[in-house]
Amino acid sequence: MVSGLCTPKCNGRCSKAGYQDRCMKYCMICCQDCKCVPSGTYGNKHECPCYRDKKNNKGKPKCP
């Protein structure tokens, strides 16, 4: 159910990414966990604090 919402939002979010497949992978993980994706292709992470605050194991932002 959530992936139906995530796929079009992540397609938009990753439309200008240099590494589309990697962007989509992490966007989908973050979307499924957080149930939201910020608008636009970059930034706007204040719209979705869960998405913004997710970190990878090196402490860097996980979500594109």
Side-chain angles (χ1 to χ4, degrees):
M1 177 103 172
V2 175
S3 63
L5 166 81
C6 292
T7 302
K9 288 187 172 267
C10 286
N11 278 334
R13 185 78 179 166
C14 294
S15 63
K16 294 183 179 170
Y19 297 96
Q20 296 268 320
D21 54 343
R22 189 183 308 163
C23 182
M24 282 298 291
K25 174 184 170 186
Y26 288 109
C27 183
M28 292 294 286
I29 291 168
C30 293
C31 178
Q32 287 172 1
D33 285 351
C34 296
K35 312 285 190 275
C36 71
V37 175
S39 62
T41 56
Y42 185 79
N44 299 322
K45 289 188 177 183
H46 63 279
E47 297 172 358
C48 186
C50 167
Y51 190 100
R52 176 194 67 209
D53 296 339
K54 275 203 163 310
K55 302 281 189 250
N56 66 16
N57 58 5
K58 293 184 178 126
K60 304 249 192 241
K62 180 172 188 154
C63 308

